Each structure stands twice: as C-alpha cells, then as structure tokens.
Amino acid sequence: MAKKDKGFQFMSLARHMDVDWLRESYKKLSSGKAPGVDGVTKAEYATNLEGNLEMLHTRLKEGRYRAPLVKRVMIPKENGEKRPLGLPTLEDKIVQGAVKVMLEAIYEQDFYDCSYGFRPKKNCHQAISAIREQSRNLGVKWIIDADISKCFDSFNHKHLQEMLSIRVKDGSIKRLIGKWLNAGVMDGNDIIYPETGTPQGGVISPLLANIYLHYVLDDWFEKEVKPRCRGNVFLVRYADDFIIGCSEEEDAKRIMEVLPKRFERYDLTIHPEKTQLIDFRKPEDGETKGKGNFSFLGFKIYWGKSLKGYWVIKKKTDKKRLSRAKKSIHLWCKENRHKPIEKQHKTLKAKLLGHYQYYGVRGNYESLDAVYVWTIRSWRKWLNRRGAKRTLTWERFHKLVLSFPLPRPRIVHSI
C-alpha cells in the first residue's frame, strides 16, 4: 500500500502487532547483550516466553505499556573521552523491534536511493562506491563535506511527530513512539528526562533518525535544491554523515549558504568549522596530486594515478582511523600479553579479519599491510615483556608465527 500510494496515511497499524509479530521481534535480538535496568536477559525471558509475550501483547493492546527507564553506561573512546550508551530493557527492545519492522515497510517506499545508513540491503561500501561513480559520471568538481553537531541528541520531538503524521495516523503507534522519546534515562543514581533526541540505544532510533533526516535533507534536496541548480549535483548520506557533490562552484556556494538555515529550521546545527567546501577538480597534466580530498565513513577519498598513469578517484583508510586501529591493537597486546598464546592468536586473528572486512577495498592494500605489520611488531614486543628476561628474539618469534599465523591483508570489496 505504501509503495502504491505515496500519499496514503495508515490509520490502523497496531492491530497487526500480535503475539506472532512480537515473537519474531524477540528472535532477532542478540543473546549476549547487556541487560537494562530490570536485569532481565534473553535467556531468562525465554523460560516463559509464550506467557511473557501474551502479557506484553495484552498491555500493548489495552494501552497499559509504559516505556521503562533506559540505563546509561559510559563507553571509553580512543581519544580518552567517553560516550554515553543507552541500554533499554529486553521487553522494550522487543516492542521497538516490532514497531521498527512495521514502519520500515512503509518508509522504505519513501526513502531515496541517496540514503544508505541502517537500511535493508544498504551498506557503507555502497555509499563509498556511489560517491566515486557519481563524481566521475556527473563531472563533479566541488564537494561539500558537512558535519551535523550532536545530531542524534538534537532531534526535536515535535518536529519528529509531525513528520511521522505525514504517513502514520495510528494513535497507538504514535503514542508508543512518544513514550520512548520521553522515557527517562538512569545515569548512576540520577534520572534524566531528555527533551530532544531519539531513544538512547533503542532499536528504533536509527529508523527515526532516517525519517527525520529524510524530510530535513533528502526530500528537500531532491525536490527543491536539484531543480534550482545550474549543473549536476548529487547527495550521499549515511545516517548523519553526508556528502554533496556539485559540478559548478556557484551551485556549491549557494548550497553551502542555505544549508545551515535549512537545518536550523529543524533545530539542527551544521558545524561551521567542520563543514567545508572542497576543490575536487580532476588534476591536469603535469600536476602531481589532486587539489583537495575528504574523508567519509573512515576512508580518505582523493585523486591519484592508476597503474596505467590515468587520474582516478581513489580511497584509502583515513589517517585518524588508521592510527586508531594501531593504538587499539597495541594496547590490547599490552594488556593481554600474559594470556595463553592460543587465546591471543585467536583474538588478534579476529581483529585483523574484522579490519580487512571493512577497509579491504581495492586500492587500499598498503594501509591494510601497515596494520598487519604493526600487529606483528606489537605482538612480538609485548610477548617479549611477559617476564623480566627479554629472550623472544625475532628468530624465535618467526618460528612461533609459523604455528600461529596471522591472516595477511586481503581485498574483500572491489568498489
């Protein structure tokens, strides 16, 4: 129905959310996640799964469901700072997941192809590929690298409910979302009631964010910005990170000027210092490098020479991400050097494979190899410091690596 009629408003959605629907939502939850304020785990909930789901469905049907407090924990970041992470209760995750599936079926018909974050069959590597292909095919010479300040914490609840009303008129669903938006956050012994932002750690938060930015940015760009531009333009957005490409400098400057005003209208702020206009023109003959470059989703995108000597758009691991990966591995080797070699090898192998899985794109082998070499050196350094005597020479270490080899770099994605 949503695909057939873009203007259709759904009046009766909650009736579809029966026990079977809730059970499917429960099955999709991960088992090893930390519990919320009630301490209930997935295994404990499963001891009386059908009875618990029946009672949950009854409370939802009668409008007696209350959004529980969200437990806040602080997660350390690589730069020494900490970021807050919300831990909803298991039952709240079930309900949020059920509503998410329902709304996703509707809004996937409305979302534009330029949006790649937290969507079915969409991923960050497709977003990176889209930037490269559209920059090349549309003759893009200017890039707007934008940054939204504290995006997920700044969504205006009133604006979000108004946006939802464009498609969803079911009062039960809207009240549920309202309860999550206004749910208290338990920070230690304090309870905070946020006035803006999406539910912390909520399963439904990424979808609500996509809906908000769909109307603030994507829909506005397609319907109002594109028709007014003299040249070619494109938008690629992954959650709150987005890039705008323009073939004409005049178009880029006009968009740069109006962009903060557009976001300010919806209580969002475009960071004035982190948002920049980048000269991304193709280098001419005789030039040794491109005029400008930018970072997106952990990759540096720049002009470089191909093996045949042609100028092409390349990508490699961003310097900050590369440094972060090295520091993380070095610290892990230091803190876990006394563990059995078998366990250390298993974890380091998983870390490297995970790094290759994300950053293993064509043209990025050199950065992958840098992480591999760093891992080898860090592992040997801290194994040699397990005791007072420093006896693990490189010769002995190489023999050890033959028994516990670490995976070599490999290209996983051909984008």
Side-chain angles (χ1 to χ4, degrees), residues 329 332-333 341-342 344-345 348 374-384 392 397 400-401 404-406:
I329 289 173
W332 188 92
C333 290
I341 299 296
E342 294 83 356
Q344 290 190 48
H345 172 256
L348 288 174
W374 179 268
T375 303
I376 291 288
R377 291 175 177 174
S378 296
W379 197 21
R380 184 259 169 186
K381 173 182 177 178
W382 291 110
L383 284 179
N384 194 35
L392 186 60
F397 179 72
L400 174 71
V401 172
F404 299 97
L406 293 175

Side-chain angles (χ1 to χ4, degrees), residues 87-121:
L87 299 175
T89 64
L90 183 108
E91 206 163 62
D92 208 35
K93 291 179 184 178
I94 294 173
V95 182
Q96 286 193 30
V99 175
K100 173 181 174 287
V101 171
M102 184 179 295
L103 294 182
E104 211 169 53
I106 297 170
Y107 284 99
E108 275 300 312
Q109 317 310 320
D110 296 349
F111 291 159
Y112 293 99
D113 290 338
C114 64
S115 170
Y116 291 87
F118 305 107
R119 294 183 58 190
K121 300 180 181 180

Side-chain angles (χ1 to χ4, degrees), residues 171-186:
S172 298
I173 298 298
K174 293 189 66 179
R175 279 192 295 273
L176 265 178
I177 294 174
K179 291 176 182 178
W180 291 322
L181 293 175
N182 296 302
V185 177
M186 180 174 284

Side-chain angles (χ1 to χ4, degrees), residues 168-301:
V168 178
K169 288 292 186 180
D170 188 311
S172 298
I173 298 298
K174 293 189 66 179
R175 279 192 295 273
L176 265 178
I177 294 174
K179 291 176 182 178
W180 291 322
L181 293 175
N182 296 302
V185 177
M186 180 174 284
D187 190 356
N189 295 323
D190 299 324
I191 298 178
I192 305 168
Y193 291 92
E195 297 180 357
T196 59
T198 54
Q200 280 202 2
V203 179
I204 201 170
S205 288
L207 177 58
L208 294 180
N210 269 338
I211 293 171
Y212 201 97
L213 292 174
H214 166 77
Y215 289 109
V216 174
L217 179 62
D218 304 354
D219 196 55
W220 168 74
F221 185 84
E222 291 292 330
K223 293 179 179 178
E224 296 188 35
V225 175
K226 267 189 175 182
R228 289 177 169 82
C229 289
R230 296 179 59 185
N232 296 322
V233 293
F234 75 82
L235 166 69
V236 171
R237 180 176 66 82
Y238 190 94
D240 59 332
D241 293 326
F242 68 93
I243 294 291
I244 296 176
C246 306
S247 62
E248 301 294 330
E249 184 179 8
E250 181 183 348
D251 291 334
K253 289 182 176 180
R254 288 172 59 198
I255 295 173
M256 278 282 287
E257 182 181 349
V258 74
L259 202 59
K261 299 175 184 177
R262 172 67 182 181
F263 277 74
E264 186 179 348
R265 181 178 171 185
Y266 293 93
D267 296 324
L268 296 176
T269 304
I270 295 292
H271 199 294
E273 296 178 1
K274 294 182 179 180
T275 299
Q276 51 186 327
L277 179 60
I278 298 164
D279 185 348
F280 200 63
R281 285 175 290 181
K282 182 179 179 180
E284 298 178 357
D285 293 339
E287 293 184 310
T288 57
K289 64 178 182 178
K291 297 178 176 63
N293 57 74
F294 59 96
S295 294
F296 188 66
L297 302 180
F299 289 94
K300 176 183 175 182
I301 301 176

Side-chain angles (χ1 to χ4, degrees), residues 13 51 63 77-78 86 131 148 187-189 217 289 300 354 387 394:
L13 289 171
K77 298 170 68 175
E78 287 78 5
I131 290 175
I148 309 174
D187 190 356
N189 295 323
L217 179 62
K289 64 178 182 178
K300 176 183 175 182
W394 275 106

Side-chain angles (χ1 to χ4, degrees), residues 48-73:
N48 185 27
L49 180 60
E50 295 305 316
N52 288 331
L53 292 178
E54 287 284 355
M55 288 191 293
L56 176 59
H57 178 252
T58 300
R59 278 184 286 140
L60 287 168
K61 188 176 180 180
E62 296 176 356
R64 293 188 291 110
Y65 183 80
R66 297 289 181 267
L69 295 173
V70 177
K71 182 180 178 181
R72 175 184 285 176
V73 295

